[in-house]
């Protein structure tokens, strides 16, 4: 998975802090993109084996499977467990209110699993590599 970023700080000879502009909800094609509150910037550390300089616009790469795995863990697993909880409660012919409580309990378990796995993987975070310099950001 590749993204575009700007180098904001050189942290070591082979490392740089880059700022990645995350996409907007509208896909950057609406008339009010300048004021869109859905756009956000995140900073990550990237390996800089190509010698990119401060202010360079670069393309960074991360392992797609790691990013998709994290997304599934955070976004899909809790919701799947929510519906499994509801289906289980419905199969046991429990009332609607109790079925909802059980659904939310299963959802909470899914969130707990996501947090636990995230903490375990903190020692081995997703790594980014600068793969090319696209240009230089005007000061």
């Amino acid at each position: 998975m590749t993204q575009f970023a700007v180098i904001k700080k050189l942290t070591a000879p082979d490392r740089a802090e880059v700022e990645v502009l995350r996409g907007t909800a509208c896909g950057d094609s609406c008339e009010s993109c300048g004021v869109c509150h859905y756009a956000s910037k995140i900073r990550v550390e990237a390996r800089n084996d190509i010698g990119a300089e401060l202010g360079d616009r670069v393309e960074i790469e991360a392992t797609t499977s790691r990013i998709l795995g994290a997304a599934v863990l955070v976004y899909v697993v809790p919701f799947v467990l929510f519906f499994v909880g509801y289906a289980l409660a419905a199969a046991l012919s429990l009332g609607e209110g109790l079925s909802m409580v059980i659904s939310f309990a299963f959802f909470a378990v899914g969130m707990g699993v996501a947090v636990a796995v995230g903490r375990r993987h903190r020692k081995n975070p997703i790594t980014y590599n600068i793969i090319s310099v696209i240009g230089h950001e005007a000061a």
Side-chain angles (χ1 to χ4, degrees):
M1 171 182 243
T2 62
Q3 294 177 296
F4 298 105
V6 176
I7 295 181
K8 293 298 183 178
K9 182 180 3 173
L10 297 174
T11 57
D14 66 338
R15 295 246 175 234
E17 184 177 287
V18 298
E19 187 174 77
V20 181
L21 180 62
R22 294 174 62 193
T24 61
C26 63
D28 297 329
S29 62
C30 70
E31 293 176 6
S32 62
C33 273
V35 295
C36 188
H37 65 277
Y38 294 109
S40 63
K41 298 175 182 177
I42 57 171
R43 287 192 180 204
V44 296
E45 188 170 72
R47 228 175 135 69
N48 184 12
D49 291 331
I50 64 170
E53 298 294 327
L54 186 66
D56 283 350
R57 296 179 61 83
V58 295
E59 184 176 14
I60 61 172
E61 176 183 57
T63 307
T64 303
S65 62
R66 297 271 324 265
I67 293 173
L68 291 178
V72 165
L73 181 66
V74 171
Y75 295 113
V76 176
V77 170
F79 286 107
V80 167
L81 286 178
F82 176 85
F83 292 115
V84 166
Y86 189 83
L88 181 64
L92 295 173
S93 300
L94 301 177
E96 188 72 24
L98 190 54
S99 295
M100 290 304 296
V101 169
I102 291 173
S103 296
F104 282 109
F106 272 60
F107 181 83
V109 167
M111 291 302 291
V113 167
V115 168
V117 170
R119 286 186 179 158
R120 193 177 65 193
H121 281 64
R122 194 168 291 188
K123 294 177 184 174
N124 186 20
I126 296 172
T127 56
Y128 298 89
N129 297 310
I130 298 173
I131 57 173
S132 66
V133 176
I134 298 167
H136 193 79
E137 188 173 78

